[in-house]
């Protein structure tokens, strides 16, 4: 009860519904497939698959104004959107490790793009919003990501509160890197020639080496390209930009945001 009142005080719209539904059951039953944005088919050779949360999915915008549609517009490639509101790094890893994934997208991607915000670190531990009745978490065991059990303890509101509070005030660069690298390895197992790009919308400083604010040497050494999008917005995160770049009051990106940043990185898709 104390956890509920604390969370409700922070967010007056907070509600909590406990359910026995499991993420993997909903995923395998095709629930999320009804929500994925349609594929944007392009005239040029090449396929891009995008992963991520609401930023990738395109909250409060039409299909033509999503990241995937705008990438299609600027690159001419076919773009498949596999982002869903509330998701994070582990949902990309889950999809890439699902045996049916190659059949679901039906093509061999040339590029995989993940759009990251700082809150994706918190989502490793706790749900994006406890309004959602299901979640997906992993633990590291013997240097590998192993899916956590859907136990009552892991799904309790008290644990949600504790983990949310902790991760709001801490940021583990190595853990974020680990999730990215593990997803990259799975992607390369499926598609040896695929290129992997991470779009950083929030200037997550902890992802970069102090010696070079535009690079993360650990990721780059593996062949992952990390792009700081705030380089093209005068150093501002999307939350700091004029509201014309927002699709709603929660600073989800509008087409104007993608028009501002994407022309600067088209060269990465050659």
């Amino acid at each position: 009860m104390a956890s509920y009142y604390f969370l409700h005080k922070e967010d007056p719209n907070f509600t909590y519904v406990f359910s026995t539904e499991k993420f993997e059951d909903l995923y395998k039953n095709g629930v999320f497939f009804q929500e994925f944005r349609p594929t944007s088919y392009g005239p040029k050779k090449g396929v891009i698959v995008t992963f991520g949360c609401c930023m990738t999915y395109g909250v409060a915008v039409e299909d033509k104004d999503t990241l995937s549609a705008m990438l299609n517009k600027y690159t001419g490639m076919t773009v498949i959107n596999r982002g869903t509101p509330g998701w994070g790094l582990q949902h990309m890893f889950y999809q890439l490790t699902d045996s049916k994934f190659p059949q679901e997208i039906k093509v061999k991607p040339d590029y995989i793009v993940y759009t990251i915000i700082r809150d994706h670190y918190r989502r490793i531990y706790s749900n994006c919003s406890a309004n959602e009745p299901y979640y997906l978490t992993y633990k590291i065991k013997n240097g590998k990501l192993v899916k956590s059990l859907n136990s009552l303890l892991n799904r309790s509101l008290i644990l949600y509160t504790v983990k949310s509070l902790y991760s709001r005030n801490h940021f583990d660069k190595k853990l974020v890197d680990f999730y990215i690298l593990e997803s990259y390895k799975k992607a390369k197992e499926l598609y040896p020639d695929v290129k992997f790009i991470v779009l950083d919308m929030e200037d997550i400083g902890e992802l970069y080496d102090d010696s070079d604010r535009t690079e993360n040497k650990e990721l780059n050494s593996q062949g992952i390209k990390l792009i700081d999008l705030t380089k093209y917005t005068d150093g501002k995160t999307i939350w700091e930009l004029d509201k014309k770049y927002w699709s709603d009051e929660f600073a989800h990106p509008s087409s104007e945001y993608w028009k501002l940043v994407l022309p600067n990185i088209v060269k990465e898709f050659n």
Side-chain angles (χ1 to χ4, degrees):
M1 186 64 70
S3 297
Y4 176 85
Y5 281 115
F6 173 82
L7 293 167
H8 191 270
K9 183 178 180 180
E10 285 203 328
D11 178 7
N13 296 317
F14 174 83
T15 58
Y16 181 68
V17 178
F18 182 83
S19 172
T20 58
E21 291 178 306
K22 299 178 182 179
F23 171 86
E24 56 266 37
D25 292 338
L26 293 170
Y27 184 90
K28 291 177 180 178
N29 288 336
V31 172
F32 299 112
F33 293 83
Q34 303 170 22
E35 303 175 2
F36 287 140
R37 292 288 195 168
T39 297
S40 299
Y41 293 96
K44 291 185 179 180
K45 184 178 180 180
V47 175
I48 303 169
V49 177
T50 61
F51 291 102
C53 62
C54 45
M55 305 299 190
T56 298
Y57 169 82
V59 167
V61 299
E62 298 179 8
D63 290 339
K64 65 180 179 63
D65 295 324
T66 62
L67 166 62
S68 50
M70 298 299 285
L71 270 175
N72 163 260
K73 176 182 177 180
Y74 285 110
T75 66
M77 297 182 183
T78 294
V79 187
I80 301 171
N81 192 328
R82 299 285 293 206
T84 293
W87 283 9
L89 290 158
Q90 66 271 47
H91 297 85
M92 171 173 61
F93 180 78
Y94 180 90
Q95 292 184 75
L96 290 170
T97 54
D98 181 56
S99 61
K100 294 183 179 179
F101 178 77
Q103 290 73 43
E104 290 165 3
I105 65 169
K106 299 181 175 64
V107 292
K108 182 181 72 172
D110 299 276
Y111 295 89
I112 285 177
V113 174
Y114 184 81
T115 309
I116 195 168
I117 57 175
R118 186 183 180 91
D119 196 50
H120 289 179
Y121 170 67
R122 183 179 68 85
R123 295 180 199 181
I124 290 174
Y125 296 107
S126 58
N127 210 335
C128 172
S129 168
N131 298 306
E132 300 169 15
Y134 46 79
Y135 203 50
L136 171 71
T137 59
Y138 286 84
K139 59 183 178 181
I140 298 176
K141 185 176 182 179
N142 298 324
K144 300 291 183 180
L145 288 174
V146 179
K147 192 170 69 63
S148 301
L149 297 176
N150 286 282
S151 65
L152 291 176
L153 176 61
N154 284 338
R155 297 164 70 87
S156 71
L157 189 58
I158 293 175
L159 192 62
Y160 170 87
T161 305
V162 171
K163 289 183 176 180
S164 289
L165 287 174
Y166 175 82
S167 54
R168 285 179 191 176
N169 299 305
H170 299 81
F171 190 95
D172 189 337
K173 169 188 176 295
K174 290 184 178 180
L175 183 58
V176 172
D177 282 354
F178 186 75
Y179 270 82
I180 294 172
L181 286 166
E182 288 300 293
S183 294
Y184 174 69
K185 291 175 185 176
K186 292 299 179 181
K188 296 294 277 188
E189 288 177 12
L190 293 172
Y191 317 108
D193 297 324
V194 74
K195 296 180 181 179
F196 203 99
I197 297 174
V198 178
L199 301 180
D200 176 9
M201 296 181 64
E202 204 173 348
D203 185 23
I204 303 174
E206 292 87 346
L207 285 178
Y208 305 99
D209 292 303
D210 292 337
S211 59
D212 191 335
R213 296 281 294 119
T214 65
E215 291 188 4
N216 178 308
K217 292 180 180 178
E218 183 173 5
L219 298 185
N220 285 355
S221 67
Q222 299 295 321
I224 299 170
K225 181 71 175 181
L226 180 64
I227 301 176
D228 176 10
L229 294 183
T230 66
K231 289 173 59 179
Y232 311 111
T233 57
D234 294 326
K236 296 180 180 179
T237 69
I238 190 167
W239 289 271
E240 298 169 317
L241 290 173
D242 187 278
K243 289 189 177 182
K244 74 177 183 179
Y245 298 107
W246 299 5
S247 66
D248 59 15
E249 290 303 308
F250 298 98
H252 294 118
S254 68
S255 62
E256 292 303 312
Y257 176 81
W258 298 121
K259 290 176 184 176
L260 180 65
V261 299
L262 290 184
N264 298 285
I265 66 170
V266 171
K267 62 181 180 295
E268 302 295 342
F269 302 90
N270 49 39

